[in-house]
Amino acid sequence: MKTAPKRILGIDTSCDDTGVGVVELLPGGHVRVLANRVWSQTVHAQYGGVMPELASREHVERIDQIMGDALADAGLKVSDLSAVAATSGPGLVGALLVGLMYGKGLAQALDVPFYAAHHLEGHIFAAASEAELHAPYLALVVSGGHTHLFDVPQEGEYVLVGATRDDAAGEAFDKIARLAGLGYPGGPAISEAAQRGNPDAVPFKEPLQGQKGFEFSFSGLKTAALLAHKAGATPEDLAAGFERAAVRTLVKTTVRAAQACGRETVVVSGGVAANRALREAFAQTGLRVVFPGKGLNTDNGAMIALAGAAAITAGRAPSTLDAGATAYAPLANTPAAS
Ligand code: KG4
Ligand code: ZN
């Protein structure tokens, strides 16, 4: 087995994006993204949601090409790789299996270490592309499937301090965009339409105001959007009002959690972290807020390579080749103090 891995390939096929990225791990733990190729499947659009079996098949058809493109971007040959990481969960099991088996096979053929990566840990480490991440910090993962707030008191320890009670933040962006006829994915569409709307035109009540905990809820905003839509609100006004309320609840709750946990650094990652209004609002908080670099917010392979690099830096043992794919895989490994 080769030692001292330097170029790490990362694969994510957890849902409907085939992602392959390459990062370089420099001495001292510095990382550099060399390539990040994502094939976003379009086949699902006609069904209004992701069809798991179709997602698996598309991954099978695309993964070779996406890997070839990523290696070409990085200027590397497959034999230059020193480690392989692939998402093992959470996600669609059939889809996960494609990248996981591909990654394991590749690692075995090259005789390099293999790391099974957690999808949410990948989202968090996507921010390592922009700044060095050293625990302790707080991590807000906001995507189409997750709205989770983790305290990370030390490397590899994740305490869930809050999560959504209902819809994920990105899911709410997507559903309200669909309702308003703004298209898919909803996040960028809402963000764009919001710039032309009046955020005061539709009354959106900020969810869970006055709560002591750090939970999120987006179903009330969805209902408010539906009622306003039926009453004739414009898509732009809906977008502006919803985006402001969603951003406020995410930022306020995260800031309170950072204060409660005594953290000065906050990582904000996942697809919704691409949102401009959210980034601007976090910039006003006085906290050190780290976002993933361009193209690393939504699902991708480079974030998995970064999670692999972090595992190597932390001296974690490689995974065995019997690591399986899991649909449900909580990241928290330490219960929150009650
Ligand atoms: O991280 P991701 O690719 O997938 C999951 O792991 O779920 O996140 C996709 C989500 C979608 O719901 C999409 O609407 C949202 O991220 N998103 C955004 C923006 N760009 C993508 N939400 C708000 N503003 C954006 N600019
Ligand atoms: Zn994701």
Side-chain angles (χ1 to χ4, degrees), residues 58-76:
E58 283 248 332
H59 287 311
V60 171
E61 281 168 20
R62 293 282 172 176
I63 193 161
D64 253 335
Q65 181 207 327
I66 299 300
M67 178 174 100
D69 291 347
L71 285 174
D73 288 350
L76 298 176

Side-chain angles (χ1 to χ4, degrees), residues 12 14-15 17 90 119-120 123 141-146 270-271 297-300 303:
D12 185 81
S14 59
C15 191
D17 295 305
H119 184 75
L120 295 190
H123 273 304
V141 184
V142 264
S143 70
H146 302 93
N297 296 291
T298 46
D299 290 352
N300 67 86
M303 71 185 201

